[in-house]
Amino acid sequence: MKTHTLLMPLDMHLHLRDAVMLENVAPLSAYSFSGAIVMPNLVPPVESKEDVIAYKERIMAAVPNDYFEPYMTLFYKNYDKAFLLDIADEITAIKLYPAGITTNSEGGVNSFDIEEMRETLETMSELGIPLCVHGETDGFVMDREAEFMSIYELLAKNFPNLKIIMEHITTKAAVDMLDKYDNLYATITVHHLLITLDDVVGGMMQPHLFCKPIAKRPEDLDALLGLALEAHPKVMFGSDSAPHPQHKKESCGCAAGVFTAPMALQLLCEIFEQFDKLDNLQAFVSDNAQNIYGICPEFKEVILEKRPFVVPENYSGVVPMYAGETINWAIESVE
């Protein structure tokens, strides 16, 4: 059997939720990943030092048998310098959500007034705290990410020493923006390397492929593949794996989010092998992230094997991407 080894895989954009959902899904990421950037959009959001410490403790309690480092984030507000100095050692990044644009983001940013944001963003620049951004406007849904490019430019120009992560990019516009500014970086999900909007609503609605930002056009997918397959040094893997109970997905008002955590590495092997780029997968799923964030995850070796793997129909009530379907790679062992 053909095998492929990955060292210290990292998921640089992950939703673990809380309570019972956290207990159900966190072990699935901890099994195959050395660490992950954990999103702070809980209810209520993670906004204080006490919130960060308590949430990390709950995550670690949910994964007691696997080495896994949750890289904690704070929900963006216009924090003062004293607060950021006090919390800097507890967090890896701060996550900015435009208000109301995605799940549990109602308390996000309403106005990108540079002067109002200056103290926070200049302090983050001084302390080396990256700003992770969900980059969408409230415009027409297919144009929201492209419209946000002007805000990325505004932030990049005004805070040239601030490391800005364009999260889960989905468009050629974002790909084109990446190299315009030295301080812009990006994460890409596995599902946005596989699907377009046609896969979601071109036939019968596929609720378990519905996410925000939504999948876009074939030319956008091609642009993303070009970045990922070459393991562009400013790009890293971030699953944006977003679990919801089955009844929240298969309902009127379908929740946005694709659950990929348990099979993300297997799907990435399939994609990179298809294009004869398996040698670049290590950089995409670990090395680039270590360089961008300056992190040193503890050793974990994941051996994947090319053999049929049937994706489970659900994981504790959460339906994954490609549920019940057969994919071409499986995890053989984790050391």
Side-chain angles (χ1 to χ4, degrees), residues 43 133 139 147 260 270 299 316:
V43 179
V133 183
E147 289 175 351
T260 58
E270 189 167 322
F299 185 82
S316 302

Side-chain angles (χ1 to χ4, degrees), residues 226-255:
L227 276 184
L229 292 169
E230 295 303 324
H232 187 296
K234 295 177 76 178
V235 169
M236 54 202 152
F237 172 65
S239 70
D240 195 20
S241 182
H244 293 280
Q246 184 171 356
H247 72 274
K248 292 286 189 180
K249 292 291 291 181
E250 299 174 5
S251 66
C252 179
C254 171

Side-chain angles (χ1 to χ4, degrees), residues 4-308:
H4 188 73
T5 300
L6 294 172
L7 302 177
M8 292 89 77
L10 294 167
D11 184 343
M12 304 310 287
H13 186 120
L14 179 65
H15 295 273
L16 288 176
R17 310 305 191 202
D18 211 344
V20 173
M21 183 65 82
L22 170 65
E23 294 170 4
N24 288 339
V25 303
L28 299 171
S29 289
Y31 172 64
S32 55
F33 288 93
S34 283
I37 292 281
V38 179
M39 295 296 106
N41 57 327
L42 305 183
V43 179
V46 178
E47 296 179 321
S48 71
K49 185 175 181 178
E50 293 73 23
D51 291 342
V52 170
I53 292 170
Y55 189 29
K56 185 172 184 176
E57 289 175 351
R58 296 196 299 275
I59 294 169
M60 297 310 296
V63 292
N65 299 318
D66 291 296
Y67 174 77
F68 177 77
E69 179 67 27
Y71 298 107
M72 304 306 293
T73 63
L74 191 70
F75 194 93
Y76 182 91
K77 301 281 187 182
N78 288 327
Y79 299 108
D80 62 33
K81 186 169 187 174
F83 173 84
L84 292 171
L85 285 167
D86 183 56
I87 201 172
D89 290 341
E90 304 293 341
I91 60 174
T92 301
I94 294 179
K95 177 65 184 290
L96 186 155
Y97 295 91
I101 207 67
T102 191
T103 304
N104 300 337
S105 64
E106 289 73 19
V109 173
N110 283 298
S111 169
F112 286 87
D113 184 310
I114 291 299
E115 293 313 310
E116 289 183 5
M117 304 174 80
R118 186 169 297 281
E119 181 179 8
T120 301
L121 297 183
E122 285 187 347
T123 303
M124 289 173 63
S125 302
E126 293 168 12
L127 297 175
I129 302 172
L131 177 70
C132 301
V133 183
H134 182 119
E136 291 190 285
T137 69
D138 60 357
F140 178 66
V141 69
M142 288 293 284
D143 298 331
R144 289 176 182 177
E145 182 173 281
E147 289 175 351
F148 201 88
M149 292 304 111
S150 62
I151 297 175
Y152 279 131
E153 289 205 83
L154 185 69
L155 294 171
K157 285 179 179 178
N158 278 275
F159 305 98
N161 297 317
L162 176 65
K163 197 167 282 186
I164 301 167
I165 317 296
M166 301 188 294
E167 294 289 357
H168 44 53
I169 62 172
T170 64
T171 58
K172 186 177 183 301
V175 171
D176 293 340
M177 178 63 66
L178 183 66
D179 285 325
K180 288 185 68 174
Y181 297 92
D182 290 342
N183 57 334
L184 286 181
Y185 301 84
T187 59
I188 300 177
T189 76
V190 66
H191 52 281
H192 288 122
L193 294 175
L194 287 166
I195 64 173
T196 66
L197 186 60
D198 202 47
D199 296 295
V200 185
V201 293
M204 294 186 68
M205 169 71 176
Q206 300 297 317
H208 299 290
L209 297 181
F210 171 62
C211 59
K212 290 184 178 179
I214 63 169
K216 302 297 193 302
R217 302 171 177 85
E219 56 267 33
D220 296 305
L221 186 150
D222 289 343
L224 296 176
L225 278 170
L227 276 184
L229 292 169
E230 295 303 324
H232 187 296
K234 295 177 76 178
V235 169
M236 54 202 152
F237 172 65
S239 70
D240 195 20
S241 182
H244 293 280
Q246 184 171 356
H247 72 274
K248 292 286 189 180
K249 292 291 291 181
E250 299 174 5
S251 66
C252 179
C254 171
V258 179
F259 184 55
T260 58
M263 76 292 304
L265 294 179
Q266 300 94 304
L267 289 172
L268 286 169
C269 269
E270 189 167 322
I271 295 166
F272 277 66
E273 184 202 26
Q274 176 188 346
F275 291 93
D276 196 26
K277 294 291 185 179
L278 267 177
D279 288 347
N280 290 343
L281 184 54
Q282 175 65 35
F284 181 63
V285 300
S286 185
D287 299 352
N288 289 353
Q290 292 183 56
N291 292 332
I292 293 167
Y293 274 93
I295 55 177
C296 261
E298 298 232 358
F299 185 82
K300 182 177 282 190
E301 179 183 75
V302 181
I303 299 176
L304 296 108
E305 185 175 68
K306 190 176 181 183
R307 59 177 167 84

